[in-house]
Amino acid sequence: MAEEKKPKKERVKKKYPMPEQPPEERIHNFNEVPIGQTEDVIKKEAQRCLQCKPSEKRKLCYDGCPVGIDIPAFIKKIQEDDLEGAIGIIKRYNNLPAVCGRVCPYENQCEGNCVVGKIKDSEPVAIGRMERFLADWERARGVKAPELPPRKDKKVAVVGSGPAGLTVAADLAKKGYQVTLFEALHSPGGVLVYGIPEFRLPKAIVRAEVSYIETLGVKLVTDAVVGKSISMQELSEQNDAIFVATGAGLPKWMNIPGENLNGILSANEFLTRANLMKSYMFPDADTPNRIGKKVATIGGGNVAMDCARTSLRLGAEESWIIYRRTETELPARIEEVHHAMQEGVKFQFLTAPVKYEGDETGYVKKMECCRMKLGEPDASGRRRPLVCPGENFELDVDTVLIAIGQSPNPIVPQTTPEIKTTKWGTIVVDDWQRTSMKGVFAAGDIATGDATVILAMGGGKRAAEAMDRYLSENEDWPAPETWEQ
Amino acid sequence: MYEIVSKKDLSSDIHLLEIKAPMIAKRAKAGQFIMLMVDDKGERIPLTMADWNSEKGTVTIIELEAGKTTKQLGMLKVGDKLRSIVGPLGMETELENHGTVVCIGGGIGIALMYPVVRALKQAGNEIISIMGSKTASTMILEEEISAVSDVIHICTDDGTKGHHGFVSDILKQMLDEKKPIDMVYAVGPIIMMKVISDITRPFGVHTVVSLNPIMVDGTGMCGSCRVSIDGKTKFACVDGPEFDGHKVDFKLLIERNRRYLEEEKRSLEKFDKEVQ
């Protein structure tokens, strides 16, 4: 391998640190936690990259990237002091680098495969931080719209402006299609705007990424609930193809007694109030978000961490994560768990609520929990949590946030019987992201169930390629019986 | 942005606003609602549509000044624009020919009652409308509802017009007199809908109520509007807003609608200070 021939030089084993707001300070504001690195540091970080060549023997950084960014190539550009060239390479693959540079689970993806990270006592190259830096560097200088090919006479409707929808809209606009992007809420971005908190992904950045996509000629229509404000039928009459990416926005409940008490909210409601509606500015913003002294968040994913950390910032005295497995099984990103712990979020593992009790005004005051232990691994490979009978105990709480996952948004399938769904409510798609309705493609959480931003973008990428093929070469569509499972 | 094309003050604190929103106007059906937001920092609030005009591309709302947002709405002028309006949301009224339908509206609930009465009338029903307000000057849409009803009863709490008392008095009397009633439709204050449902229950008369819980997105994403129907949790925004009144847990709805009373008060006080 190439690196073996290079003259031996002292390797920097660890990532160059990312400066962060100190925990005791940041729990009183909604500003971003990582402050960002300098150009100088990023260039030094780039020197840590070994520029691995493609290998059949092992997976490399780009194999771990759901949108397939040519990572060694962009890092090489940084090594050569060509930052513009570097961001140019990223944007060929990824339309939302400032978002991905912040919320991607790189540790399991590109950085998880990084050869440097496999060396004893070494950390992988900080690919995510470099992506973030380059996107921010470009935005600060003013993003230039790329040169676009001549406009095609084909029209595409994209339903949902989250990560998958934005990806498809941008990719198809770059190929010259006339794209209209529909968003149900009053601001575009989907989960990037209503779900992910400001301190993890500033909304100004989402706005800038969406503006960039608008400069590609994408027409944005907000306040449009497809299936209610306009039907899929109408869209298919007005367009040559449709992409559905309506996400997993339907909160799951545990269906245990007392769940409708005041003070018990879905993660979606709590985060939408905080993020989209800016409840942290109340009463300067009109939407309230009442937070108690002792908050329990049920669940162990990124959304649960977001809830627990937002609670502290809104003034909770104690913020607990209640999770039925152990720390090892927490599905949240390590960085999020780490940040939550630094900020004083407390963890109650091997615990699940079974019942809530309210006071005379209908507010939750107590939560009965059962203790759990881990049994044999289940289908997901994680050890199944089992109830320990007779070991129930009570916790005093005045706010409970349910963050146990989201189901696919049902409005499009419910109002469009031609579109087949699975028993979990996801839209059935084939390898080309085609649905059972001709000309209609789907990706993101509506097709996969709740997953990550970058996986939704990867699905969008595949859909955009398939849609281009469908619109320009081959209008074939799978036979109806294909969709019978 | 959605322009206000006409405005009428129906009383000192009840306003009719006609808003340009062609996508909604084209598809609106009786019983559905919209969510609106006045400005960037505004709250998203659900409001019922009193009417719509698909040719003009407008929807009409009638709103009562109750909190900060509705007060702010009341101060807007023709030509002003709203930050957001989305709809039509929720399920539409089931428009069968039931026979004789008693439609009951209380206060601002009468705004939603109007398109429902009109549609039920068109579906062939005989309509008996009962409308109640605090006082004669806050009674809305009397002429309009009268034009699409076979019989109309007016009630005021203070006796300044029609029956001196509640809408439920009239309904109770009709049921006691064994008047044939195939269905009751009620929309208004929660307590009114509860009383109506309690009155019809022993008579076995199918009773539909239109619920008004607190909502955030209005599209099924947050569950702020969850209500308990026959012991099962439903989202009023997508499963409703209409439900079988005999199955609604009204106590829960009343409690849940009081969740943000303190904040609502604080917000209104701040606004009042600012506009003085």
Side-chain angles (χ1 to χ4, degrees), chain A residues 186-187 194 223 228-229 234 249-251 253 259-260 262 264 266 268-269 273 277 282-284 286-288 290 363, chain B residues 2 23 26-27 37 41-42 44 68 83-87 90 220-222 224 226 233 255-256 259-260 263 266 270:
Chain A
H186 57 272
S187 293
Y194 74 75
D223 303 312
K228 289 282 183 188
S229 316
E234 284 172 89
L250 200 70
W253 304 94
E259 212 170 17
N260 290 334
N262 289 345
I264 304 182
S266 73
N268 260 11
E269 177 179 356
R273 285 178 179 275
M277 306 311 298
F282 183 86
D284 290 329
D286 293 345
T287 308
R290 184 180 288 196
Y363 266 87
Chain B
Y2 307 85
M23 210 159 27
K26 196 174 159 193
R27 296 178 65 89
M37 193 173 160
K41 288 180 177 174
R44 288 170 67 99
K68 192 249 169 171
R83 168 70 175 79
S84 165
I85 171 166
V86 62
M221 286 177 49
C222 80
S224 171
R226 57 200 198 274
T233 298
E255 278 171 1
R256 288 189 59 78
R259 272 180 291 162
Y260 298 102
E263 289 83 355
R266 205 171 140 206
K270 178 169 181 283

Short mmCIF file of all heavy atoms in Angstrom, two decimals, chain A residues 186-187 194 223 228-229 234 249-251 253 259-260 262 264 266 268-269 273 277 282-284 286-288 290 363, chain B residues 2 23 26-27 37 41-42 44 68 83-87 90 220-222 224 226 233 255-256 259-260 263 266 270:
data_model
loop_
_atom_site.label_atom_id
_atom_site.label_comp_id
_atom_site.label_asym_id
_atom_site.label_seq_id
_atom_site.Cartn_x
_atom_site.Cartn_y
_atom_site.Cartn_z
N HIS A 186 -44.79 25.39 7.67
CA HIS A 186 -44.59 26.73 7.11
C HIS A 186 -43.14 27.03 6.77
O HIS A 186 -42.85 28.06 6.19
CB HIS A 186 -45.16 27.79 8.07
CG HIS A 186 -44.56 27.73 9.44
ND1 HIS A 186 -45.08 26.93 10.43
CD2 HIS A 186 -43.47 28.32 9.96
CE1 HIS A 186 -44.33 27.05 11.52
NE2 HIS A 186 -43.35 27.89 11.26
N SER A 187 -42.22 26.15 7.17
CA SER A 187 -40.81 26.34 6.85
C SER A 187 -40.25 25.04 6.31
O SER A 187 -40.60 23.97 6.80
CB SER A 187 -40.01 26.72 8.10
OG SER A 187 -40.40 27.99 8.53
N TYR A 194 -37.95 20.84 12.43
CA TYR A 194 -38.85 20.63 13.57
C TYR A 194 -38.24 19.71 14.63
O TYR A 194 -38.62 19.77 15.78
CB TYR A 194 -40.23 20.11 13.12
CG TYR A 194 -40.30 18.67 12.67
CD1 TYR A 194 -40.28 17.62 13.59
CD2 TYR A 194 -40.43 18.33 11.32
CE1 TYR A 194 -40.34 16.30 13.17
CE2 TYR A 194 -40.49 17.02 10.90
CZ TYR A 194 -40.44 16.01 11.83
OH TYR A 194 -40.49 14.70 11.42
N ASP A 223 -46.72 25.13 3.30
CA ASP A 223 -48.13 25.09 3.70
C ASP A 223 -48.96 24.19 2.77
O ASP A 223 -50.12 24.48 2.52
CB ASP A 223 -48.75 26.50 3.71
CG ASP A 223 -48.00 27.46 4.61
OD1 ASP A 223 -47.71 27.08 5.76
OD2 ASP A 223 -47.71 28.58 4.18
N LYS A 228 -54.03 16.31 1.32
CA LYS A 228 -55.08 17.14 1.91
C LYS A 228 -55.26 18.43 1.09
O LYS A 228 -56.34 18.72 0.60
CB LYS A 228 -54.73 17.51 3.36
CG LYS A 228 -54.81 16.36 4.32
CD LYS A 228 -56.26 16.09 4.70
CE LYS A 228 -56.39 14.99 5.73
NZ LYS A 228 -57.79 14.61 5.95
N SER A 229 -54.16 19.22 0.98
CA SER A 229 -54.25 20.48 0.24
C SER A 229 -54.25 20.24 -1.26
O SER A 229 -54.81 21.03 -2.02
CB SER A 229 -53.06 21.38 0.60
OG SER A 229 -52.80 21.39 1.98
N GLU A 234 -53.71 14.89 -8.58
CA GLU A 234 -53.45 16.19 -9.21
C GLU A 234 -51.97 16.35 -9.53
O GLU A 234 -51.61 16.82 -10.60
CB GLU A 234 -53.88 17.33 -8.28
CG GLU A 234 -55.39 17.55 -8.22
CD GLU A 234 -55.75 18.56 -7.13
OE1 GLU A 234 -55.78 19.76 -7.42
OE2 GLU A 234 -55.97 18.12 -5.98
N GLY A 249 -43.19 10.84 10.82
CA GLY A 249 -43.54 11.93 11.72
C GLY A 249 -44.60 11.57 12.74
O GLY A 249 -45.05 12.41 13.50
N LEU A 250 -45.01 10.32 12.76
CA LEU A 250 -46.13 9.94 13.62
C LEU A 250 -45.60 9.38 14.93
O LEU A 250 -44.95 8.35 14.94
CB LEU A 250 -46.95 8.87 12.88
CG LEU A 250 -48.37 8.67 13.34
CD1 LEU A 250 -49.23 9.86 12.97
CD2 LEU A 250 -48.94 7.42 12.71
N PRO A 251 -45.83 10.07 16.05
CA PRO A 251 -45.21 9.61 17.29
C PRO A 251 -45.75 8.25 17.74
O PRO A 251 -46.94 7.97 17.60
CB PRO A 251 -45.57 10.70 18.30
CG PRO A 251 -46.73 11.42 17.72
CD PRO A 251 -46.64 11.27 16.23
N TRP A 253 -46.51 5.60 20.85
CA TRP A 253 -46.87 5.64 22.27
C TRP A 253 -46.70 4.26 22.86
O TRP A 253 -46.66 3.27 22.14
CB TRP A 253 -48.33 6.11 22.43
CG TRP A 253 -48.60 7.42 21.79
CD1 TRP A 253 -49.08 7.62 20.52
CD2 TRP A 253 -48.37 8.72 22.34
NE1 TRP A 253 -49.17 8.97 20.26
CE2 TRP A 253 -48.75 9.67 21.35
CE3 TRP A 253 -47.89 9.18 23.55
CZ2 TRP A 253 -48.65 11.04 21.55
CZ3 TRP A 253 -47.80 10.56 23.76
CH2 TRP A 253 -48.18 11.47 22.76
N GLU A 259 -51.16 7.84 30.04
CA GLU A 259 -50.29 8.47 29.04
C GLU A 259 -50.84 9.79 28.48
O GLU A 259 -50.09 10.59 27.92
CB GLU A 259 -50.04 7.47 27.90
CG GLU A 259 -48.68 7.61 27.25
CD GLU A 259 -48.38 6.45 26.30
OE1 GLU A 259 -49.31 5.72 25.89
OE2 GLU A 259 -47.20 6.27 25.97
N ASN A 260 -52.15 10.01 28.65
CA ASN A 260 -52.72 11.27 28.15
C ASN A 260 -52.75 12.38 29.20
O ASN A 260 -53.34 13.44 28.97
CB ASN A 260 -54.14 11.04 27.60
CG ASN A 260 -54.11 10.24 26.31
OD1 ASN A 260 -53.12 10.28 25.58
ND2 ASN A 260 -55.17 9.52 26.03
N ASN A 262 -51.70 15.57 31.40
CA ASN A 262 -50.96 16.78 31.07
C ASN A 262 -49.52 16.62 31.53
O ASN A 262 -49.26 16.03 32.58
CB ASN A 262 -51.59 17.99 31.76
CG ASN A 262 -52.92 18.36 31.15
OD1 ASN A 262 -53.26 17.90 30.05
ND2 ASN A 262 -53.68 19.18 31.85
N ILE A 264 -47.32 15.03 29.79
CA ILE A 264 -46.74 13.93 29.02
C ILE A 264 -46.87 14.28 27.54
O ILE A 264 -47.98 14.47 27.04
CB ILE A 264 -47.42 12.58 29.33
CG1 ILE A 264 -47.35 12.30 30.83
CG2 ILE A 264 -46.79 11.46 28.51
CD1 ILE A 264 -47.96 10.97 31.26
N SER A 266 -45.31 13.80 23.36
CA SER A 266 -44.46 13.07 22.43
C SER A 266 -43.20 13.90 22.24
O SER A 266 -43.23 15.13 22.36
CB SER A 266 -45.17 12.87 21.09
OG SER A 266 -45.23 14.08 20.38
N ASN A 268 -41.93 14.50 19.49
CA ASN A 268 -42.24 15.36 18.35
C ASN A 268 -42.91 16.67 18.78
O ASN A 268 -42.58 17.73 18.28
CB ASN A 268 -43.20 14.63 17.40
CG ASN A 268 -42.47 14.04 16.23
OD1 ASN A 268 -41.25 13.99 16.21
ND2 ASN A 268 -43.23 13.60 15.25
N GLU A 269 -43.88 16.55 19.70
CA GLU A 269 -44.56 17.78 20.12
C GLU A 269 -43.59 18.70 20.86
O GLU A 269 -43.49 19.89 20.57
CB GLU A 269 -45.76 17.49 21.03
CG GLU A 269 -46.40 18.80 21.52
CD GLU A 269 -47.62 18.64 22.41
OE1 GLU A 269 -48.08 17.51 22.64
OE2 GLU A 269 -48.13 19.68 22.88
N ARG A 273 -42.36 22.26 19.32
CA ARG A 273 -42.57 23.52 20.05
C ARG A 273 -41.23 24.25 20.24
O ARG A 273 -41.13 25.45 20.03
CB ARG A 273 -43.20 23.24 21.42
CG ARG A 273 -44.68 22.89 21.36
CD ARG A 273 -45.24 22.57 22.75
NE ARG A 273 -46.65 22.26 22.67
CZ ARG A 273 -47.64 23.16 22.68
NH1 ARG A 273 -47.37 24.43 22.81
NH2 ARG A 273 -48.90 22.79 22.57
N MET A 277 -41.13 26.11 16.44
CA MET A 277 -41.93 27.23 16.95
C MET A 277 -41.13 28.14 17.90
O MET A 277 -41.66 29.11 18.40
CB MET A 277 -43.19 26.71 17.65
CG MET A 277 -44.07 25.79 16.83
SD MET A 277 -44.46 26.37 15.16
CE MET A 277 -45.36 27.87 15.50
N PHE A 282 -40.15 32.18 24.13
CA PHE A 282 -41.42 32.60 24.73
C PHE A 282 -41.15 33.55 25.90
O PHE A 282 -40.25 33.30 26.69
CB PHE A 282 -42.18 31.36 25.23
CG PHE A 282 -43.52 31.68 25.80
CD1 PHE A 282 -44.63 31.78 24.99
CD2 PHE A 282 -43.68 31.92 27.16
CE1 PHE A 282 -45.87 32.09 25.50
CE2 PHE A 282 -44.91 32.25 27.69
CZ PHE A 282 -46.00 32.34 26.87
N PRO A 283 -41.87 34.64 26.08
CA PRO A 283 -43.05 35.05 25.31
C PRO A 283 -42.75 35.93 24.09
O PRO A 283 -43.69 36.46 23.51
CB PRO A 283 -43.85 35.84 26.35
CG PRO A 283 -42.81 36.46 27.23
CD PRO A 283 -41.64 35.53 27.23
N ASP A 284 -41.46 36.07 23.70
CA ASP A 284 -41.20 36.83 22.48
C ASP A 284 -41.64 36.06 21.24
O ASP A 284 -41.98 36.64 20.22
CB ASP A 284 -39.72 37.21 22.39
CG ASP A 284 -39.35 38.25 23.44
OD1 ASP A 284 -40.24 39.06 23.78
OD2 ASP A 284 -38.22 38.23 23.95
N ASP A 286 -44.60 33.20 20.25
CA ASP A 286 -45.89 32.97 20.91
C ASP A 286 -46.13 31.56 21.45
O ASP A 286 -47.04 31.36 22.24
CB ASP A 286 -47.03 33.28 19.93
CG ASP A 286 -47.09 34.77 19.59
OD1 ASP A 286 -46.46 35.56 20.33
OD2 ASP A 286 -47.74 35.13 18.60
N THR A 287 -45.36 30.58 20.98
CA THR A 287 -45.67 29.19 21.35
C THR A 287 -45.01 28.82 22.67
O THR A 287 -43.79 28.88 22.79
CB THR A 287 -45.19 28.23 20.25
OG1 THR A 287 -45.74 28.69 19.01
CG2 THR A 287 -45.65 26.80 20.51
N PRO A 288 -45.79 28.42 23.68
CA PRO A 288 -45.21 28.02 24.96
C PRO A 288 -44.76 26.56 24.94
O PRO A 288 -45.11 25.81 24.04
CB PRO A 288 -46.38 28.21 25.93
CG PRO A 288 -47.59 27.97 25.10
CD PRO A 288 -47.27 28.34 23.68
N ARG A 290 -44.24 24.24 28.28
CA ARG A 290 -44.07 24.20 29.72
C ARG A 290 -43.14 23.04 30.12
O ARG A 290 -43.32 21.92 29.68
CB ARG A 290 -45.43 24.02 30.39
CG ARG A 290 -45.33 24.06 31.89
CD ARG A 290 -46.68 23.89 32.49
NE ARG A 290 -47.51 25.07 32.30
CZ ARG A 290 -48.61 25.27 33.00
NH1 ARG A 290 -49.01 24.39 33.88
NH2 ARG A 290 -49.32 26.35 32.79
N TYR A 363 -52.34 16.78 35.91
CA TYR A 363 -50.92 16.81 35.56
C TYR A 363 -50.20 15.58 36.10
O TYR A 363 -50.47 15.16 37.23
CB TYR A 363 -50.25 18.08 36.11
CG TYR A 363 -50.22 19.18 35.09
CD1 TYR A 363 -51.29 20.06 34.96
CD2 TYR A 363 -49.14 19.30 34.22
CE1 TYR A 363 -51.28 21.04 34.00
CE2 TYR A 363 -49.12 20.30 33.25
CZ TYR A 363 -50.19 21.16 33.14
OH TYR A 363 -50.18 22.12 32.18
N TYR B 2 -50.38 35.17 2.73
CA TYR B 2 -51.80 35.02 2.40
C TYR B 2 -52.53 36.31 2.77
O TYR B 2 -52.63 36.67 3.94
CB TYR B 2 -52.36 33.81 3.16
CG TYR B 2 -51.52 32.57 2.91
CD1 TYR B 2 -50.38 32.30 3.68
CD2 TYR B 2 -51.83 31.70 1.87
CE1 TYR B 2 -49.59 31.19 3.43
CE2 TYR B 2 -51.05 30.58 1.61
CZ TYR B 2 -49.93 30.33 2.39
OH TYR B 2 -49.15 29.24 2.13
N MET B 23 -55.44 27.11 -2.72
CA MET B 23 -55.31 25.66 -2.61
C MET B 23 -56.34 25.10 -1.62
O MET B 23 -56.92 24.05 -1.84
CB MET B 23 -53.88 25.32 -2.15
CG MET B 23 -53.42 24.01 -2.67
SD MET B 23 -51.64 23.71 -2.74
CE MET B 23 -50.87 24.69 -1.53
N LYS B 26 -60.12 25.41 -2.89
CA LYS B 26 -60.49 24.45 -3.92
C LYS B 26 -60.96 23.12 -3.34
O LYS B 26 -61.76 22.42 -3.93
CB LYS B 26 -59.25 24.21 -4.79
CG LYS B 26 -59.51 23.55 -6.11
CD LYS B 26 -58.23 23.50 -6.92
CE LYS B 26 -58.33 22.42 -7.98
NZ LYS B 26 -57.04 22.14 -8.58
N ARG B 27 -60.44 22.77 -2.17
CA ARG B 27 -60.70 21.43 -1.65
C ARG B 27 -61.47 21.38 -0.34
O ARG B 27 -61.77 20.30 0.16
CB ARG B 27 -59.37 20.69 -1.46
CG ARG B 27 -58.62 20.45 -2.75
CD ARG B 27 -57.30 19.76 -2.48
NE ARG B 27 -57.50 18.42 -1.92
CZ ARG B 27 -57.63 17.34 -2.65
NH1 ARG B 27 -57.58 17.41 -3.94
NH2 ARG B 27 -57.79 16.17 -2.08
N MET B 37 -50.99 31.04 11.13
CA MET B 37 -49.91 31.65 11.89
C MET B 37 -49.83 33.09 11.39
O MET B 37 -49.77 33.33 10.18
CB MET B 37 -48.64 30.88 11.52
CG MET B 37 -47.46 31.10 12.36
SD MET B 37 -46.20 29.91 11.80
CE MET B 37 -44.78 30.71 12.48
N LYS B 41 -43.05 34.87 14.39
CA LYS B 41 -42.96 34.41 15.77
C LYS B 41 -44.29 33.90 16.30
O LYS B 41 -44.45 33.62 17.48
CB LYS B 41 -42.45 35.55 16.66
CG LYS B 41 -40.99 35.85 16.43
CD LYS B 41 -40.55 36.99 17.32
CE LYS B 41 -39.06 37.24 17.15
NZ LYS B 41 -38.64 38.43 17.89
N GLY B 42 -45.27 33.84 15.43
CA GLY B 42 -46.62 33.49 15.83
C GLY B 42 -46.77 32.03 16.21
O GLY B 42 -45.92 31.20 15.95
N ARG B 44 -49.04 28.54 15.83
CA ARG B 44 -49.93 27.92 14.85
C ARG B 44 -51.22 27.58 15.59
O ARG B 44 -51.19 26.81 16.56
CB ARG B 44 -49.32 26.63 14.29
CG ARG B 44 -48.14 26.86 13.35
CD ARG B 44 -47.44 25.55 13.05
NE ARG B 44 -48.29 24.64 12.29
CZ ARG B 44 -48.21 24.47 10.97
NH1 ARG B 44 -47.31 25.12 10.27
NH2 ARG B 44 -49.01 23.62 10.35
N LYS B 68 -53.76 35.99 22.65
CA LYS B 68 -52.89 36.90 21.92
C LYS B 68 -53.09 36.78 20.41
O LYS B 68 -53.26 37.79 19.71
CB LYS B 68 -51.44 36.59 22.29
CG LYS B 68 -50.48 37.66 21.83
CD LYS B 68 -49.58 37.19 20.73
CE LYS B 68 -48.84 38.37 20.13
NZ LYS B 68 -47.79 37.98 19.21
N ARG B 83 -48.61 34.87 7.77
CA ARG B 83 -47.39 34.11 7.52
C ARG B 83 -47.71 32.73 6.95
O ARG B 83 -47.01 32.22 6.08
CB ARG B 83 -46.61 33.98 8.84
CG ARG B 83 -45.46 32.99 8.85
CD ARG B 83 -44.31 33.47 7.99
NE ARG B 83 -43.16 32.57 8.09
CZ ARG B 83 -43.05 31.41 7.45
NH1 ARG B 83 -44.01 31.00 6.65
NH2 ARG B 83 -41.97 30.66 7.60
N SER B 84 -48.76 32.11 7.49
CA SER B 84 -49.04 30.74 7.06
C SER B 84 -50.52 30.43 7.24
O SER B 84 -51.14 30.86 8.21
CB SER B 84 -48.21 29.76 7.90
OG SER B 84 -48.68 28.44 7.76
N ILE B 85 -51.05 29.70 6.29
CA ILE B 85 -52.38 29.10 6.47
C ILE B 85 -52.35 27.78 5.70
O ILE B 85 -51.92 27.74 4.55
CB ILE B 85 -53.52 30.04 6.04
CG1 ILE B 85 -54.88 29.32 6.04
CG2 ILE B 85 -53.31 30.69 4.71
CD1 ILE B 85 -56.07 30.25 5.94
N VAL B 86 -52.71 26.72 6.39
CA VAL B 86 -52.62 25.40 5.75
C VAL B 86 -53.91 24.62 5.99
O VAL B 86 -54.53 24.72 7.03
CB VAL B 86 -51.37 24.64 6.23
CG1 VAL B 86 -51.40 24.38 7.72
CG2 VAL B 86 -51.17 23.34 5.49
N GLY B 87 -54.30 23.88 4.97
CA GLY B 87 -55.51 23.09 5.08
C GLY B 87 -55.95 22.61 3.71
O GLY B 87 -55.20 22.74 2.75
N GLY B 90 -58.11 17.63 8.69
CA GLY B 90 -59.12 16.83 9.38
C GLY B 90 -60.08 16.16 8.41
O GLY B 90 -60.02 16.38 7.20
N GLY B 220 -51.07 15.49 12.36
CA GLY B 220 -50.88 14.16 12.92
C GLY B 220 -49.48 13.88 13.43
O GLY B 220 -49.16 12.75 13.77
N MET B 221 -48.64 14.90 13.50
CA MET B 221 -47.25 14.66 13.86
C MET B 221 -46.94 14.78 15.35
O MET B 221 -45.92 14.28 15.80
CB MET B 221 -46.33 15.60 13.10
CG MET B 221 -46.19 15.20 11.64
SD MET B 221 -45.19 16.34 10.72
CE MET B 221 -43.78 16.50 11.77
N CYS B 222 -47.76 15.50 16.11
CA CYS B 222 -47.29 15.77 17.46
C CYS B 222 -48.13 15.14 18.57
O CYS B 222 -47.60 14.82 19.63
CB CYS B 222 -47.13 17.26 17.69
SG CYS B 222 -48.64 18.14 18.05
N SER B 224 -50.44 16.60 20.30
CA SER B 224 -50.92 17.59 21.26
C SER B 224 -52.44 17.49 21.39
O SER B 224 -53.00 17.72 22.45
CB SER B 224 -50.53 18.99 20.78
OG SER B 224 -51.15 19.97 21.56
N ARG B 226 -54.42 14.97 21.32
CA ARG B 226 -55.00 13.65 21.53
C ARG B 226 -56.21 13.71 22.48
O ARG B 226 -56.23 14.44 23.46
CB ARG B 226 -53.96 12.62 21.96
CG ARG B 226 -53.16 12.90 23.19
CD ARG B 226 -51.90 12.04 23.13
NE ARG B 226 -51.25 11.89 24.42
CZ ARG B 226 -50.37 12.77 24.89
NH1 ARG B 226 -50.07 13.86 24.19
NH2 ARG B 226 -49.82 12.58 26.07
N THR B 233 -57.05 6.31 22.38
CA THR B 233 -56.48 7.62 22.07
C THR B 233 -56.58 7.89 20.57
O THR B 233 -56.22 7.05 19.75
CB THR B 233 -55.01 7.67 22.51
OG1 THR B 233 -54.98 7.49 23.93
CG2 THR B 233 -54.37 8.99 22.15
N GLU B 255 -59.40 19.19 30.77
CA GLU B 255 -58.10 19.29 31.46
C GLU B 255 -56.98 19.59 30.49
O GLU B 255 -56.13 20.45 30.74
CB GLU B 255 -57.80 17.97 32.20
CG GLU B 255 -58.48 17.88 33.54
CD GLU B 255 -58.35 16.50 34.17
OE1 GLU B 255 -57.71 15.60 33.57
OE2 GLU B 255 -58.91 16.32 35.26
N ARG B 256 -56.98 18.90 29.37
CA ARG B 256 -55.89 19.10 28.40
C ARG B 256 -55.93 20.50 27.79
O ARG B 256 -54.89 21.05 27.46
CB ARG B 256 -55.93 18.02 27.30
CG ARG B 256 -55.48 16.65 27.82
CD ARG B 256 -55.30 15.63 26.71
NE ARG B 256 -54.32 16.01 25.72
CZ ARG B 256 -53.00 15.91 25.88
NH1 ARG B 256 -52.50 15.44 27.00
NH2 ARG B 256 -52.18 16.27 24.91
N ARG B 259 -53.90 23.26 29.64
CA ARG B 259 -52.46 23.05 29.83
C ARG B 259 -51.65 24.34 29.85
O ARG B 259 -50.68 24.45 30.56
CB ARG B 259 -51.91 22.16 28.70
CG ARG B 259 -52.00 20.70 29.01
CD ARG B 259 -51.44 19.91 27.84
NE ARG B 259 -52.32 20.02 26.68
CZ ARG B 259 -51.94 19.75 25.45
NH1 ARG B 259 -50.72 19.38 25.18
NH2 ARG B 259 -52.81 19.86 24.46
N TYR B 260 -52.00 25.28 29.01
CA TYR B 260 -51.13 26.46 28.87
C TYR B 260 -51.82 27.75 29.31
O TYR B 260 -51.45 28.82 28.85
CB TYR B 260 -50.63 26.58 27.41
CG TYR B 260 -49.80 25.39 26.99
CD1 TYR B 260 -50.33 24.39 26.19
CD2 TYR B 260 -48.48 25.26 27.41
CE1 TYR B 260 -49.57 23.28 25.83
CE2 TYR B 260 -47.70 24.17 27.06
CZ TYR B 260 -48.26 23.18 26.26
OH TYR B 260 -47.51 22.09 25.91
N GLU B 263 -49.44 30.46 30.50
CA GLU B 263 -48.64 31.02 29.42
C GLU B 263 -49.50 31.87 28.49
O GLU B 263 -49.07 32.92 28.01
CB GLU B 263 -47.96 29.91 28.61
CG GLU B 263 -46.83 29.20 29.34
CD GLU B 263 -47.30 28.08 30.27
OE1 GLU B 263 -48.53 27.91 30.43
OE2 GLU B 263 -46.43 27.40 30.85
N ARG B 266 -49.97 35.16 30.13
CA ARG B 266 -48.74 35.94 30.09
C ARG B 266 -48.52 36.56 28.71
O ARG B 266 -48.16 37.73 28.57
CB ARG B 266 -47.58 34.99 30.41
CG ARG B 266 -46.38 35.67 30.97
CD ARG B 266 -45.39 34.63 31.46
NE ARG B 266 -44.06 35.07 31.11
CZ ARG B 266 -43.02 34.27 30.93
NH1 ARG B 266 -43.18 32.97 31.02
NH2 ARG B 266 -41.85 34.76 30.63
N LYS B 270 -48.57 40.62 27.79
CA LYS B 270 -47.43 41.24 27.12
C LYS B 270 -47.90 41.97 25.86
O LYS B 270 -47.51 43.11 25.59
CB LYS B 270 -46.41 40.17 26.76
CG LYS B 270 -45.20 40.68 26.01
CD LYS B 270 -44.13 39.60 25.93
CE LYS B 270 -42.90 40.09 25.20
NZ LYS B 270 -43.08 40.12 23.75
#
